[in-house]
Amino acid sequence: ASHDFLGFFGAAGAKDENYGTSESCEVDILCSDDESQLLASRAVCRLLISGQYLCTGTLINCASSEKKAYLLTANHCIANASEAASTICVFNYISPWCDGPDHRISHSISGSALKATNDKIDFSLLQLSSFPPLVFEPYFAGWDITGTTPSNTFVVHHPSGDVMKVSVDNNAPVISSYPESSYGYITSGFWRILRWDSGTTEGGSSGSALFDQNFRIKGTLTGGEADCASPVNDYFARIDKMFSISSNEAEALKPWLDPYSSGVTQLNGYDPYLTNFKESDTLYNIPETSSLKSEVLSSPGYGYITGINSDSLISYAEYFDFTGTGEIASVIISIAEASYLTNGDTARIFIFSSGDTPGKILASKKVMLPEVKNNYEFKVDFDRTVPVSEPFYVGYRLYYKGTISSPQTQFAPFHSEPYASNSQNTAWFNDGSGWYPFTLHPYLPAPVSLAVKTVIVDNSIPDSIDYTYIPGPGLTACPNPFSDHVTFLTNDTIAEAKLIIYDHSGKMVFSKMYNNPFPGGLKVDLPFLARGIYHYIFWNGSIIFSGTIIKAQ
């Protein structure tokens, strides 16, 4: 039986989450200590196609100096321009630690252009509507079209749309034809995995790349028999067959992956932001000689001095005396204690502007507390880089569910040993009336620093990147983020279209037909939507527009 792509809504009805739906033998990518597998994972994304089907795609490098946002998947996943335009690519959907919990998804790109597809060898090549930004930390995988048999292989994928998994075969695959002739695939066009040594593939894995021992792409998953009970006989369409299968550029990879006919047969992967991160700085106020501390209030008090406690402190912040110009790429917080009472418990991380105390909010990000644990370095970005040109603060706040009492939700970072001088203090707290230095802390007044690191890059611009592609006619959504309503603006004339909005898990939350919506502005009231990321599609039999909007409150 073929794995095929996975119907998103399934037989049991609409599902909000796909976490935990894959089979028990699947291996979380962060359970791997293989650096090549971890690097390859940065190229992999979960595909939601037309709001209905799940597959896997892989960013792929091209042999030209001008790099483009190409993504490789299967033809049976995406076969036409409408499906490509309606596809949402979700990157970094990875459990935060080995066999860990679900992870809130926020790295996504909506819409793509179909560059080439071929149903005789089951591949499709897309160009994403925008280049993945620095905070995604993308990697464009290399490829090998020599046709030589790899000594061993692995695949990084999203089985059943679950968090990213890795399956490994320690033996060589064999060249094979697809076992079901009715599909019409070419003879000897596939690598057959005889048996997976760990993991398997499932619906949702379709289109995922088969990597060789040099972590170059050798093919993409079409289907097979494998499951946990019998992980045998998976078939991957061979990339060497895809390359020059047709002289028509819309049916072969070569015109796109080697447009100037360099003749290269093996191409390494490409990290577009390698230079940016090599030249980055990590700001950290705690000296290497200082050990990390976590202080708990003594009875009858309770809680941590850097978290929720009986002193009713509500927010904390760390000051960074930054000069020059740069962009905050991420924040890393060393967590001493993390606990939650409900799966919906959250904290929010902030970047505050400079001042005598934390000032204007420059950026913020909600954190789901089940994604954090004790003695853990928690990394968070803000879905974009945050430009800074003066000192700033990194802060956090936990939101009380009711009257403060013990036990409580906790998000308590470590702090430094007390310093000798009050002037060395960089930690701040807020008790509801205002911000104060830790030298005035009601329980443990002392000059300290919070265990917070900030990664700053000079800029977030990669080299030699093609930004020219934007699918379809131009449309603007404003305001974005929005509160109760969003207005879609375009000068293009559209006689009739249906607006469909999906939440970030792929569930349809809004659908309405509009007559003569454009040109001009179309105001859509959405006060009932919860805060979060949403994806929209204007549909009139073929895709007109697709994109992403954010509900801020």
Side-chain angles (χ1 to χ4, degrees):
S2 171
H3 289 306
D4 211 335
F5 49 75
L6 182 73
F8 187 79
F9 296 108
K15 295 166 63 177
D16 292 330
E17 300 291 344
N18 293 278
Y19 170 76
T21 57
S22 63
E23 292 192 72
S24 59
C25 71
E26 301 286 12
V27 180
D28 274 4
I29 184 64
L30 290 188
C31 295
S32 171
D33 58 5
D34 187 311
E35 291 298 326
S36 62
Q37 295 173 11
L38 297 173
L39 183 60
S41 74
R42 291 167 46 197
V44 174
C45 69
R46 189 179 76 175
L47 303 180
L48 172 61
I49 303 148
S50 301
Q52 299 180 65
Y53 308 110
L54 286 166
C55 281
T56 300
T58 308
L59 295 172
I60 187 168
N61 196 8
C62 59
S64 66
S65 58
E66 188 177 63
K67 302 299 181 179
K68 301 186 179 183
Y70 288 147
L71 184 134
L72 185 65
T73 189
N75 165 271
H76 77 262
C77 292
I78 296 173
N80 56 59
S82 293
E83 290 173 341
S86 67
T87 293
I88 299 166
C89 304
V90 176
F91 294 88
N92 301 318
Y93 184 38
I94 298 174
S95 189
W97 53 84
C98 176
D99 294 327
D102 195 8
H103 179 60
R104 186 168 181 258
I105 312 166
S106 59
H107 292 170
S108 63
I109 294 175
S110 299
S112 61
L114 184 66
K115 293 301 183 181
T117 189
N118 196 307
D119 61 4
K120 301 301 182 186
I121 190 65
D122 195 31
F123 83 86
S124 287
L125 183 72
L126 316 178
Q127 185 176 358
L128 301 181
S129 61
S130 60
F131 198 88
L134 178 141
V135 294
F136 288 21
E137 297 187 31
Y139 177 76
F140 288 76
W143 38 265
D144 182 332
I145 58 168
T146 61
T148 56
T149 301
S151 61
N152 53 79
T153 59
F154 68 89
V155 59
V156 182
H157 55 123
H158 287 283
S160 296
D162 203 349
V163 290
M164 197 179 295
K165 309 289 183 177
V166 60
S167 300
V168 176
D169 179 14
N170 295 322
N171 302 293
V174 297
I175 292 175
S176 175
S177 297
Y178 199 74
E180 298 180 39
S181 59
S182 61
Y183 288 102
Y185 296 138
I186 65 171
T187 302
S188 302
F190 293 82
W191 297 111
R192 176 186 168 201
I193 301 296
L194 299 179
R195 186 179 187 91
W196 295 108
D197 290 291
S198 65
T200 187
T201 61
E202 306 178 37
S205 304
S206 284
S208 54
L210 183 70
F211 290 90
D212 66 11
Q213 68 277 6
N214 299 309
F215 56 102
R216 299 188 185 110
I217 294 175
K218 295 290 285 189
T220 55
L221 179 65
T222 293
E225 303 173 15
D227 57 21
C228 282
S230 180
V232 299
N233 297 332
D234 264 343
Y235 295 84
F236 288 78
R238 292 167 54 185
I239 193 172
D240 56 301
K241 297 296 185 181
M242 303 172 191
F243 219 73
S244 301
I245 189 172
S246 172
S247 59
N248 183 344
E249 68 175 17
E251 297 177 346
L253 288 181
K254 183 181 181 300
W256 311 101
L257 300 188
D258 190 15
Y260 304 116
S261 299
S262 69
V264 64
T265 58
Q266 294 177 318
L267 185 69
N268 289 331
Y270 167 66
D271 184 340
Y273 299 102
L274 182 62
T275 300
N276 305 70
F277 281 108
K278 277 186 174 180
E279 298 176 355
S280 67
D281 290 321
T282 299
L283 307 184
Y284 191 45
N285 291 324
I286 298 179
E288 291 184 4
T289 55
S290 176
S291 59
L292 297 181
K293 301 290 185 180
S294 59
E295 302 288 342
V296 180
L297 276 67
S298 58
S299 182
Y302 55 83
Y304 286 75
I305 70 167
T306 58
I308 289 180
N309 56 51
S310 53
D311 286 331
S312 297
L313 307 187
I314 62 171
S315 299
Y316 301 86
E318 176 71 1
Y319 173 75
F320 290 93
D321 188 17
F322 177 74
T323 57
T325 59
E327 300 176 36
I328 297 173
S330 61
V331 168
I332 302 169
I333 304 175
S334 294
I335 304 297
E337 172 73 15
S339 59
Y340 56 95
L341 302 181
T342 73
N343 287 332
D345 286 354
T346 64
R348 186 166 285 275
I349 313 299
F350 297 94
I351 305 294
F352 296 106
S353 65
S354 178
D356 293 335
T357 62
K360 178 183 176 181
I361 297 172
L362 302 178
S364 71
K365 184 72 169 285
K366 180 190 288 186
V367 173
M368 308 303 293
L369 291 190
E371 299 174 21
V372 191
K373 62 180 179 177
N374 298 353
N375 298 303
Y376 178 64
E377 279 208 334
F378 178 71
K379 179 180 178 181
V380 61
D381 65 71
F382 300 90
D383 300 324
R384 60 181 177 87
T385 57
V386 182
V388 286
S389 56
E390 60 183 2
F392 60 89
Y393 297 81
V394 175
Y396 57 95
R397 175 174 177 175
L398 285 89
Y399 292 87
Y400 301 165
K401 299 293 184 183
T403 303
I404 191 166
S405 61
S406 183
Q408 275 286 340
T409 292
Q410 282 293 346
F411 181 89
F414 286 104
H415 60 85
S416 69
E417 297 173 331
Y419 299 131
S421 168
N422 284 355
S423 64
Q424 295 174 274
N425 180 77
T426 54
W428 293 72
F429 68 90
N430 192 313
D431 63 1
S433 66
W435 287 100
Y436 302 94
F438 255 62
T439 53
L440 300 178
H441 195 286
Y443 180 77
L444 191 68
V448 298
S449 296
L450 302 179
V452 177
K453 299 175 183 177
T454 304
V455 179
I456 294 189
V457 295
D458 289 339
N459 61 70
S460 55
I461 302 171
D463 294 330
S464 302
I465 299 303
D466 173 30
Y467 288 99
T468 58
Y469 168 65
I470 300 175
L475 177 140
T476 301
C478 65
N480 193 15
F482 68 96
S483 295
D484 291 327
H485 68 270
V486 62
T487 299
F488 298 97
L489 299 165
T490 182
N491 291 324
D492 293 275
T493 299
I494 307 296
E496 183 181 74
K498 176 183 283 189
L499 171 62
I500 306 170
I501 299 177
Y502 302 96
D503 68 15
H504 210 44
S505 69
K507 180 181 178 181
M508 184 189 300
V509 295
F510 181 86
S511 176
K512 186 174 181 180
M513 182 66 73
Y514 293 92
N515 292 315
N516 302 309
F518 304 116
L522 175 65
K523 180 181 177 182
V524 180
D525 292 318
L526 301 167
F528 52 88
L529 293 184
R531 294 172 64 173
I533 298 172
Y534 296 88
H535 306 277
Y536 66 83
I537 295 170
F538 279 95
W539 178 270
N540 68 345
S542 63
I543 296 299
I544 304 172
F545 305 109
S546 65
T548 300
I549 53 177
I550 300 172
K551 179 74 178 290
Q553 52 180 293

